[in-house]
Amino acid sequence: MSTLWSDHIAGLEPYVPGEQVQMPDLLKLNTNENPYGPSPRAVEAMQAALGDDLRLYPDFQGLGLRQAAAKCHRVTPDQVFLGNGSDEILAHVFNAFFLRGGRQLWLPDVTYSFYRTWCRFHEVPHRLIPLADDLSLKASDYTGETDQEPSGIIFANPNAPTGCALPLDDIATIARARPDSVVVVDEAYVDFGAESATSLVDQFQNLLVVHTLSKSRSLAGLRVGYAIGPVELIQALTRVKDSFNSYPLDRVALAGAQAALEDTAWFDRTCRAVIEARTQLTSGLQQLGFEVLPSQTNFVFTRHPREEAAIIARGLRDRAILVRHFQAPRIGQYLRITVGTPEQCTRLCDTLKDILSA
Ligand code: PMP
């Protein structure tokens, strides 16, 4: 801490990402990266973008990429907003929609922990709504009578770190029940088996859906995300962006992301492979006595009835396998494990077997 800091800096609670370490023979299953590489067409497009044109600023409107995203989701390009990873978009969302005269933002008690960091950063008043005992999100907890309408509602769907998904009807029910609240659905993991709410944005003026290219498009290193929503919400985000950084995406990222969205064959094949490996991982864990929540993501959320999650995580780390353990209320007994290739899932289960029998 320093006396040179602005007043609010000491009170921030920065998000802590999964660790990135160097060790021999490391198996990294702690940050939900895709085990398969990005589309070769995306890599080619990025290589082609590495040239003399880099002296020029990128297209600040990212039109080519917005058109590609619009085509994927059957919307128009003016319903698409781009950001430097979906984290940047979500940070803009808090600024653009959740500071409305002291009204509260509603969010689940167990969800992507960055939301609470942004609440703190932007001083957003908020209410945590507990998930059900089985860690599922109940739409009815968001639709009832209230003294004060929330400024907004935000959750990940499928939720993180639980991996459980809410059906589209429930999202429509929430958006319909709260027309004066911006309902933000973070679909970072939706491509691994859940239904996207982008098909609903033309029906609801208050619904915004956020996507990332970090997971199903295997481009976490590129930092690209996008939001899909009604034009008026996109305009608010654009006003925030252009008051912050007009060029969040560079030329290489715009080219690579566009080619990745256009390569639907690669996307379909790699998503399918992850989903198949998830089935293998789930049954491997169950055979070892783990309870595994139903996942529609590229990770599983699991606990062992007898062994402490922290001890298992440490045992895995000692054997060069990283998984994520959150020291947080309600979920301290769980591990979040990224789905790897079939070989990686086998190595994980074999190692867990050793640890449990030691
Ligand atoms: N939302 C959720 C639920 C996530 O788990 C993540 C990844 N940490 C993100 C958003 C952010 O992804 P990115 O910034 O890489 O697009």
Side-chain angles (χ1 to χ4, degrees), residues 15 85-87 90 112 115 156 160 186 188-189 212 214-215 223-224:
Y15 174 74
S86 58
D87 278 343
L90 291 162
Y112 184 32
Y115 304 149
D186 174 356
Y189 301 102
T212 178
S214 299
K215 313 295 178 184
R223 312 305 303 130
V224 183

Side-chain angles (χ1 to χ4, degrees), residues 79-95:
Q79 293 177 290
V80 182
F81 176 80
L82 304 177
N84 191 262
S86 58
D87 278 343
E88 185 188 69
I89 296 173
L90 291 162
H92 289 338
V93 160
F94 276 66
N95 207 338

Side-chain angles (χ1 to χ4, degrees), residues 46-118:
M46 289 187 274
Q47 279 159 348
L50 291 175
D52 186 55
D53 280 353
L54 285 178
R55 71 198 166 76
L56 302 171
Y57 282 103
D59 170 11
F60 71 96
Q61 297 184 316
L63 189 59
L65 176 55
R66 280 177 36 237
Q67 282 168 333
K71 192 167 170 213
C72 285
H73 296 283
R74 298 197 181 84
V75 295
T76 55
D78 59 356
Q79 293 177 290
V80 182
F81 176 80
L82 304 177
N84 191 262
S86 58
D87 278 343
E88 185 188 69
I89 296 173
L90 291 162
H92 289 338
V93 160
F94 276 66
N95 207 338
F97 306 118
F98 301 155
L99 292 165
R100 295 168 67 204
R103 286 164 58 177
Q104 288 183 321
L105 167 70
W106 291 0
L107 69 166
D109 62 339
V110 177
T111 189
Y112 184 32
S113 61
F114 219 146
Y115 304 149
R116 279 158 88 173
T117 298
W118 288 309

Side-chain angles (χ1 to χ4, degrees), residues 263-338:
D263 193 349
T264 50
W266 183 267
F267 168 74
D268 289 342
R269 181 144 36 97
T270 50
C271 285
R272 240 188 345 259
V274 169
I275 291 168
E276 278 166 24
R278 181 177 71 210
T279 307
Q280 173 202 337
L281 175 60
T282 303
S283 67
L285 289 169
Q286 285 167 338
Q287 279 165 28
L288 295 171
F290 283 87
E291 175 196 329
V292 186
L293 294 192
S295 168
Q296 282 167 2
T297 61
N298 68 337
F299 58 86
V300 295
F301 205 47
T302 182
R303 67 177 169 183
H304 197 273
R306 288 182 309 281
E307 297 299 324
E308 282 294 315
I311 292 175
I312 300 175
R314 208 170 317 130
L316 287 170
R317 197 178 190 287
D318 291 344
R319 293 159 177 85
I321 300 180
L322 297 183
V323 299
R324 195 86 199 259
H325 173 241
F326 298 92
Q327 296 280 10
R330 297 188 72 189
I331 56 169
Q333 213 8 42
Y334 284 86
L335 295 172
R336 190 195 70 189
I337 306 178
T338 305

Side-chain angles (χ1 to χ4, degrees), residues 216-254:
S216 56
R217 306 280 173 174
S218 302
L219 286 169
L222 201 62
R223 312 305 303 130
V224 183
Y226 59 87
I228 305 276
V231 174
E232 276 188 8
L233 298 188
I234 300 300
Q235 282 169 346
L237 288 170
T238 307
R239 288 174 72 88
V240 172
K241 171 195 91 112
D242 288 337
S243 307
F244 175 79
N245 175 10
S246 349
Y247 300 108
L249 294 189
D250 59 68
R251 284 176 167 270
V252 179
L254 287 170

